[in-house]
Amino acid sequence: MNEQRKKIRKAILIGLAAVCILALMIFLIFLAVGFVEIISPNNSYAIEITGLSSLAVNGTATVMVPIPANVDGVPAMSEEVLTSRYQAFGWQTAVRETPCGKMLAFTTTGDYAPGISVSSGEFEKKEEPRLLVPVLATPENVSVEEFSRSSGGTYTTVVFLDGFIPPPENATPITFNLRYQGGGGMKHLIKENVWTTTVNATVPGTASGFIPIPAEYHVTPGGLYL
């Protein structure tokens, strides 16, 4: 009886060892695949502006929004992408230098301005913090570089409206919904941070010129990815 128990125990141990070895081999295979896998950092930017259709255009109307850039103001997305992939119906798109910094400009000469809803993206090789700029103010007035390396917070950016016939005081408000996300690349199982900036702001339909608005900045930490 004891001999039979020993044989059963031995068989169980051999089976467990085989299962462990198989599991280890599978893990090592997945680890090897993950180690050589490289995912390029990505930039994606979605822009939605509503309420414009209630405004009559006075010759040429212009709407400008922030662009994704690093802390030095260098665009994170190429101007070619920003101008070619962000062509909204009824609008012409261009990157403009303004007193606040570079912004993405939409212009129209139609009688009324249609709403704007565009989104696109591209792969990016640079692994650095980026957010929507211009940055007019940061919490406690820290530098943009210091703020960009924090876990996140609310800062002040800017939009621009011009060229509309002054509407009545009860005009439909204009809503800006912007979302930028960059980063997320991975190399040798090390995942890069993900930088996200969102704007959900409503301004009066009577507003014009440069209009400061709040933006939410958030960093999702990277690290070892298994």
Side-chain angles (χ1 to χ4, degrees):
M1 182 66 70
N2 289 337
E3 188 67 27
Q4 186 177 3
R5 286 181 177 177
K6 289 181 180 180
K7 289 181 179 180
I8 294 174
R9 182 181 299 175
K10 184 177 181 180
I12 292 174
L13 291 175
I14 292 174
L16 289 174
V19 170
C20 290
I21 292 172
L22 179 61
L24 179 60
M25 290 177 63
I26 293 174
F27 173 76
L28 291 175
I29 290 172
F30 278 105
L31 186 65
V33 171
F35 188 79
V36 298
E37 182 181 17
I38 296 177
I39 300 176
S40 298
N42 184 56
N43 285 310
S44 63
Y45 188 23
I47 302 168
E48 185 174 9
I49 307 172
T50 58
L52 295 171
S53 58
S54 63
L55 300 177
V57 175
N58 185 16
T60 300
T62 302
V63 178
M64 292 195 288
V65 297
I67 63 172
N70 66 11
V71 297
D72 296 319
V74 178
M77 301 174 70
S78 66
E79 291 194 13
E80 179 183 359
V81 167
L82 289 172
T83 54
S84 63
R85 298 185 188 176
Y86 286 83
Q87 292 290 340
F89 175 77
W91 296 88
Q92 295 295 319
T93 310
V95 175
R96 287 190 185 176
E97 191 70 53
T98 76
C100 298
K102 287 186 176 181
M103 299 182 71
L104 185 61
F106 297 90
T107 58
T108 184
T109 56
D111 294 333
Y112 286 87
I116 297 173
S117 181
V118 288
S119 63
S120 188
E122 67 174 350
F123 288 113
E124 175 60 71
K125 295 181 179 179
K126 296 179 181 178
E127 299 180 4
E128 58 184 357
R130 40 212 191 256
L131 67 172
L132 291 179
V133 303
V135 177
L136 300 188
T138 59
E140 300 180 359
N141 293 320
V142 300
S143 68
V144 177
E145 181 177 5
E146 183 178 350
F147 175 69
S148 72
R149 298 187 184 281
S150 68
S151 61
T154 302
Y155 69 97
T156 303
T157 186
V158 65
V159 294
F160 178 86
L161 295 168
D162 186 50
F164 297 101
I165 296 174
E169 291 297 324
N170 62 348
T172 302
I174 301 171
T175 301
F176 291 83
N177 292 304
L178 316 174
R179 178 180 172 82
Y180 166 72
Q181 190 167 82
M186 186 170 67
K187 185 176 182 181
H188 302 324
L189 297 178
I190 303 298
K191 191 169 184 179
E192 179 192 0
N193 291 349
V194 176
W195 296 279
T196 304
T197 302
T198 55
V199 169
N200 296 291
T202 299
V203 303
T206 55
S208 65
F210 289 100
I211 309 163
I213 57 173
E216 294 292 333
Y217 174 69
H218 177 71
V219 179
T220 303
L224 186 62
Y225 183 80
L226 294 175

